């Protein structure tokens, strides 16, 4: 007899998110921690949008703390999306 057991994993969480746009060097500084106790986050990627336009995308190596400097061309309102599949 075979029994199937479904193992439920906790979803990864982003904590301590920090964002700062620096006009001097035209970049966005972002810092955050990845809490992933069950090792469920795979294929991490960050995307930056200005309006509907994707202006930056980067695959991320998996680690617990991140600090990124993202180049931008102009000041404005940016949206940041973090994906894990």
């Amino acid at each position: 007899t075979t029994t199937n057991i479904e193992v439920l994993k906790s979803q990864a969480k982003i904590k301590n998110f920090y964002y700062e746009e620096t006009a001097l060097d035209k970049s966005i500084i972002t810092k955050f921690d990845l809490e992933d106790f069950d090792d469920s986050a795979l294929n991490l990627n960050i995307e930056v949008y200005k309006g509907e336009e994707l202006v930056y995308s980067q695959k991320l190596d998996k680690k617990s703390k991140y600090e990124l400097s993202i180049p931008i061309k102009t000041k404005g309102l940016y949206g940041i999306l973090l994906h894990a599949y």
Side-chain angles (χ1 to χ4, degrees):
T1 303
T2 303
T3 303
N4 292 328
I5 299 173
E6 183 177 341
V7 177
L8 300 178
K9 290 187 174 184
S10 298
Q11 291 184 359
K13 296 177 185 176
I14 299 295
K15 295 203 166 192
N16 304 318
F17 185 82
Y18 171 81
Y19 166 97
E20 178 184 353
E21 186 178 331
T22 59
L24 185 61
D25 61 352
K26 293 186 177 179
S27 68
I28 295 171
I29 306 297
T30 186
K31 300 176 187 179
F32 57 91
D33 300 336
L34 176 66
E35 186 179 276
D36 188 16
F37 298 121
D38 289 334
D39 200 29
S40 61
L42 303 171
N43 301 317
L44 299 167
N45 190 57
I46 186 168
E47 295 178 349
V48 179
Y49 290 86
K50 185 168 185 184
E52 298 292 320
E53 180 185 1
L54 176 65
V55 295
Y56 182 84
S57 179
Q58 179 182 346
K59 184 173 173 23
L60 302 175
D61 292 329
K62 190 169 181 181
K63 53 188 177 179
S64 61
K65 294 187 179 289
Y66 294 85
E67 183 172 343
L68 304 169
S69 178
I70 301 167
I72 56 173
K73 293 181 181 178
T74 60
K75 291 182 179 180
L77 185 60
Y78 289 87
I80 297 176
L81 292 176
L82 296 163
H83 299 280
Y85 305 100

